[in-house]
Amino acid sequence: MFRKVLIANRGEIAVRIIRTLREMGIGAVAVYSDADRTSLHVRMADEAAHVGPSPSAESYLCIDRLIDAARTHGAEAIHPGYGFLSENAEFAAACDAAGLVFIGPSAESIRKMGLKTPARELAIAAGVPVVPGMQHAARDAEEARMFARDCGYPVLLKAVAGGGGKGMRRVDGDEDLGSAFRDAASEAERAFGNAAIYVEKLIERPRHIEVQLMGDRQGHIIYLGERECSLQRRHQKIMEECPSPLVSEHPEMRHDMGEAAVRIARAAGYHSAGTAEFLVDAARNFYFLEMNTRLQVEHPVTELVTGLDLVRLQLEIAAGEPLRLRQEEIGWRGAAIECRIYAEDPDNHFFPSPGRIQHLDRPLGPGIRIDSGVYPGWTVPLDYDPLLAKLAVWAGSREQAVARMIRALDECHIVGIKTNIGFFRQLMEDDQYRRGELHTGLVDEFLARRPAPEKDPELQAVAALVGQAFLPARSALKDNGRGRHAASAWRTEGREQLLQ
Amino acid sequence: MFRKVLIANRGEIAVRIIRTLREMGIGAVAVYSDADRTSLHVRMADEAAHVGPSPSAESYLCIDRLIDAARTHGAEAIHPGYGFLSENAEFAAACDAAGLVFIGPSAESIRKMGLKTPARELAIAAGVPVVPGMQHAARDAEEARMFARDCGYPVLLKAVAGGGGKGMRRVDGDEDLGSAFRDAASEAERAFGNAAIYVEKLIERPRHIEVQLMGDRQGHIIYLGERECSLQRRHQKIMEECPSPLVSEHPEMRHDMGEAAVRIARAAGYHSAGTAEFLVDAARNFYFLEMNTRLQVEHPVTELVTGLDLVRLQLEIAAGEPLRLRQEEIGWRGAAIECRIYAEDPDNHFFPSPGRIQHLDRPLGPGIRIDSGVYPGWTVPLDYDPLLAKLAVWAGSREQAVARMIRALDECHIVGIKTNIGFFRQLMEDDQYRRGELHTGLVDEFLARRPAPEKDPELQAVAALVGQAFLPARSALKDNGRGRHAASAWRTEGREQLLQ
Amino acid sequence: MTFDVEIDGAATRLEVDRDGEQCRFRFGPQPERRAQLTEVEPGVYSVLLDGRSYEARAEPGEDCAWITIRGHRFRVAITDPRRWLPKGGGGHGAERENVVAAMPGKIVRVLVKPGDSVAAGQGILVVEAMKMQNEMKTRRGGHVVAVAVREGETVAAGAVLATIE
Amino acid sequence: MTFDVEIDGAATRLEVDRDGEQCRFRFGPQPERRAQLTEVEPGVYSVLLDGRSYEARAEPGEDCAWITIRGHRFRVAITDPRRWLPKGGGGHGAERENVVAAMPGKIVRVLVKPGDSVAAGQGILVVEAMKMQNEMKTRRGGHVVAVAVREGETVAAGAVLATIE
């Protein structure tokens, strides 16, 4: 096993990796930019290397600096975490070239699976369904109609040069296709100077369900079950769970999707941790979307339900050890849910809310897991993504896990910056969510229908009483040893003013 | 199910019970003494009742006041937690009389099992081995010798009126018995004015292993596996684990001890949670000691390994629901260890260390569970026992759990009062502990042999640097908004002075 | 002592008579009641009222306090003129509107130029912070008087980005 | 700047030259080195030294600071006479010894009476706190001059319980 590993990342995932390294008796080397000198991952690491100024492009994305740091500190391997360079084939190759072990798949697998089209072809070759779509531009409306009839309506017309919904049209039947094709083509022409249009089957209200894979360098690969990640905002996952409520009702899906994912990974000669993402339609057909060739943000829910430590497995595999686990040994117990706590303001367009964390109360007790990259008194920098912590719960059933998450959210308080804790608290009460009827549009639908918080006169009376006790105190704040509190008061005021 | 439950307890166990009540949607009524107005369990409860001044005898032990509080607040049931009135048959009876459900066994079972001798007889009747001993005083040395030969040396001569080791003698063979009997008898005569002596088999370096039981009011009772609690100081458990390392090597023991425990409980018509304590000798013979008719402090390790919520089960059973779990459905996954974090000074006779908690860092990440009754800024009262929190870890194997506990202890910092965290940290490194060769004398042996912490010159250099940076700052403390810090500095100084 | 309090915009009367942690109070039309209020941590209050236990967290806001109880957030202002100035207003219905940065960040796109006429709610600039792009909109329609920033520029929270008239 | 420091009783020399968070220092015979030291939380320091990261927690003690690093606890005193008075000594080898309460609590038993002769290490009284009884012992032998408390009495930490001569 390695004696020392460098973590080419920051925030909660760097901290999470350090914890497993500690438990395995492996030295942890953190890297940090100017903005991160006092970040938790630097405080917790055994060694730390400065890799540049705050912008990621000049620090966490600088392959040379990271490899130099690993060399200087005598690290034998590099864990990329997620994001940043974790799916960058060049980085994996550069590690190999430098005689460092990249803790992840080979540069070649990353290339194969990293790009949508080759991955899609690999899946088709492995006999795994993908979202039906034309592989080339439609010559004319007629060819588009032919394809639409084959795969069945509704379909989506998309601009080949496309992006941002420009040149995109939904078509529900033959009769509308002609006009829609003309509109889409001309819009595409105007937007991209390219009128080329292709057709893709439209999957309505799909679920996003992904399969966790783990394979060793000897070619033994297994699936560790699914995660349902249908709750998304701006195509960003915000809440994940294992098992998927749908799979719980139809247990054969775990095996079917798992086997499909394993087939794709085998075809790519894949090793280490990876995730195959699928869309699932109302008829429970699943379509391969893409493969994430790294550890996922949401891996804790799989760890809670399987009892495995995915980072430990990654390290053992990277060190060349065979994966001792057989598929039939994997057990799934109970249910886990994860909420991504972001520094953002749900009451004001989810605008980011960087700033100083004045006070931090974390939930404790049975079935709680917190992966956090922050601490009280620390100032959340505006240079990186707003993920503060991941709050995960485990319980014997989904129903109990939901109740536990509500309890946990009620125990969780972050003062000084805005967070989405209250938003999750509301979402957990939503009937459709409770029933497990999830789809990728649910969060937006919920945002549209979410109820105005009712105002209990009893709570109002308490609020008035507390407000009156708190407000007079404020003027004196600066003098009575709560200087920080006072200072931040001004910052908060500043923000309030702008946001009203 | 109940709509509202009163918790006749305080500290971490009251908090732990509140959490399950929340998750079940049941209202939680806390009780508090003068010393506990600002305690965490009062802050977290839905309702709170003041039950008297600080001394337990005038508050937490006042049956009438507790029952009045339950009546006033409209609670339908009372959870006694552990300690205080949890094993008090009168209290259970008083609840019945008041039409309140006592969340625990019947008053009758408590009476039957609560007293050592009847419980012992019940066990014998149920065919469960107990520590061999004479049921009456020995007429003379001869009768003592007869018994000693039957049960086998070594034996212990004990004063019938005994206590505190007075009139106690260890005897390893026939030849020494006569003189030892005379000495013991005369010492007993002097100490208690009663020369009566009886003989009990001496179990050397025993393990303390207990079995968790759960039974419903319909007579269905199962065992949830064992806990090893051999690590004790002053006969107080300080660290517990599940599974027992011995049982892991000899899996049949779980079944054998479990069945034995169930037989005793059945004979007593027992329901709710209970624990049968056994001594286990070097030859793996187990001897029933006593039955604890309540939830145990160390129940979290069982919850972590079985995935069950014992408080939830207690509530369902108390509400008359049948226990749906069958014995064969109980699964034990991985390994869990719990450390009891006490406010005490391991470097000074483990003297209690009440006072204000200035700063509190808790471990986070995979496999950590914390049950805590404290918060930063709170002053630990000197009126109650010094348990601050229970730190428990779970991992796939005992070895990994030990590594995780070390990692967790390293992340755990309590400033302002002394705790035994550092002591546990040392104990975890002990070879004998690592090998799982536990017995009730291990902690005392360890205290005798524990190594002086080696002084790394590198760490000394860092300490000097930090000390120099910190010390000058102190004189200015009162002025720079760290008033509390400064104030406590004085308190700490005070203590240092006394303890040197 | 009597205060005019404003809770989430609604004005009420609060009579409070404190004796240490004990207090008698009358909230709006409610009858007089007794409560016990203790600050257990800075800004965290434990309130016992009719046997119920409430934990309230207070954060300072502009001319107000934000009080959070059991997941509900209340804006509490003491409108007693002796202590509080009337609320700023922030330019509602004013003749001019300054479009300001809702958070510190970098200007990635300016969507208008001086002289352009804009509709209420139209996007004026795009600010990037924490890897997310956020459109700053104008509340009122009119035409752009000035654009105060250039693309690529970094701005502080509250910086004036453009002026609409 | 040079200091005489005492670490766990051993006296050494510490030369420090600070420039904000950067510092050059020489510890005892060690060669000069560079370190970066940041107070990340009150009393919590993050130290980078030769690429290694240390987190140190400082607590004030009597004439000293208690520094905890990676589970190791160091007593650090700056013996520079301009700042610190020489250490109290607390009556080691003095003619008289006051037996004091090591923690606040209740006197449950007095084991001696004035005039009794006692051996070094003998128990003098039993104090109960947090449900535990703790024997307060004398460090020196001699005879009991006075017993200052009665059974059942509650005492503060540091209270003189008895005097041995």
Side-chain angles (χ1 to χ4, degrees), chain B residues 394-435:
Chain B
W394 179 94
S397 67
R398 183 178 194 260
E399 189 189 358
Q400 289 179 22
V402 169
R404 182 158 284 172
M405 179 59 87
I406 289 173
R407 189 268 289 175
L409 290 166
D410 286 344
E411 289 184 25
C412 196
H413 304 282
I414 300 179
V415 179
I417 58 176
K418 299 274 192 348
T419 75
N420 55 351
I421 291 171
F423 167 72
F424 282 125
R425 181 68 180 76
Q426 280 189 300
L427 182 55
M428 302 299 290
E429 300 282 3
D430 183 62
D431 288 340
Q432 197 181 343
Y433 169 74
R434 292 278 190 125
R435 289 195 303 270

Side-chain angles (χ1 to χ4, degrees), chain A residues 16-317:
Chain A
R16 187 260 173 276
I17 293 163
I18 288 171
R19 287 189 165 120
T20 288
L21 291 172
R22 275 250 188 304
E23 295 174 11
M24 294 177 74
I26 301 170
V29 184
V31 295
Y32 65 98
S33 71
D34 291 346
D36 276 329
R37 165 62 186 95
T38 61
S39 291
L40 194 57
H41 71 288
V42 177
R43 290 176 56 178
M44 285 180 68
D46 301 302
E47 306 183 18
H50 179 253
V51 290
S54 304
S56 313
E58 302 166 49
S59 49
Y60 298 109
L61 294 174
C62 284
I63 295 180
D64 301 350
R65 291 183 182 174
L66 294 165
I67 289 187
D68 287 349
R71 281 228 190 78
T72 320
H73 284 262
E76 304 153 280
I78 296 185
H79 197 304
Y82 55 69
F84 291 130
L85 295 170
S86 59
E87 296 184 284
N88 183 309
E90 273 176 63
F91 184 48
C95 290
D96 298 346
L100 297 161
V101 178
F102 176 81
I103 298 169
S106 66
E108 194 203 347
S109 310
I110 296 176
R111 273 193 209 90
K112 271 198 205 140
M113 306 305 299
L115 297 168
K116 220 161 175 145
T117 322
R120 187 181 156 93
E121 282 154 8
L122 227 147
I124 294 166
V128 176
V130 299
V131 178
M134 297 176 68
Q135 296 303 306
H136 56 80
R139 274 190 315 283
D140 52 27
E142 197 41 41
E143 193 190 15
R145 181 176 288 108
M146 288 306 137
F147 184 88
R149 283 187 186 149
D150 294 350
C151 74
Y153 289 99
V155 296
L156 215 51
L157 304 185
K158 283 179 158 182
V160 170
K166 292 263 191 315
M168 201 183 281
R169 286 286 185 287
R170 173 199 173 113
V171 184
D172 291 289
D174 262 5
E175 57 287 7
D176 312 330
L177 196 134
S179 56
F181 191 85
R182 275 191 305 282
D183 300 352
S186 54
E187 186 173 311
E189 175 64 50
R190 264 180 279 107
F192 317 110
N194 174 351
I197 295 293
Y198 71 101
V199 185
E200 193 176 271
K201 173 146 185 66
L202 174 67
I203 299 182
E204 296 190 278
R205 299 164 65 92
R207 288 173 178 259
H208 176 117
I209 301 179
E210 60 189 26
V211 173
Q212 177 66 54
L213 295 168
M214 189 66 67
D216 63 22
R217 290 164 177 270
Q218 293 72 27
H220 171 47
I221 182 154
I222 60 176
Y223 59 89
L224 305 181
E226 80 290 350
R227 287 181 293 259
E228 172 138 14
C229 313
S230 300
L231 296 180
Q232 309 182 352
R233 205 182 63 78
R234 287 178 155 196
H235 305 292
Q236 290 281 333
K237 300 168 188 170
I238 59 173
M239 197 187 219
E240 305 91 357
E241 55 186 284
C242 175
S244 156
L246 183 69
V247 173
S248 298
E249 286 173 28
H250 307 279
E252 72 284 0
M253 289 182 73
R254 175 171 294 155
H255 170 271
D256 298 346
M257 296 176 75
E259 286 302 322
V262 167
R263 281 203 304 279
I264 299 171
R266 260 211 202 91
Y270 195 87
H271 65 78
S272 190
T275 297
E277 296 191 324
F278 294 91
L279 281 187
V280 180
D281 67 18
R284 302 203 304 281
N285 304 303
F286 54 87
Y287 306 94
F288 173 74
L289 274 186
E290 62 175 315
M291 177 95 154
N292 295 316
T293 59
R294 50 162 168 87
L295 193 68
Q296 297 281 85
V297 175
E298 59 271 22
H299 73 279
V301 294
T302 298
E303 293 185 322
L304 284 165
V305 170
T306 60
L308 299 170
D309 180 338
L310 299 194
V311 174
R312 179 181 282 263
L313 293 174
Q314 281 187 305
L315 285 157
E316 288 169 351
I317 288 164

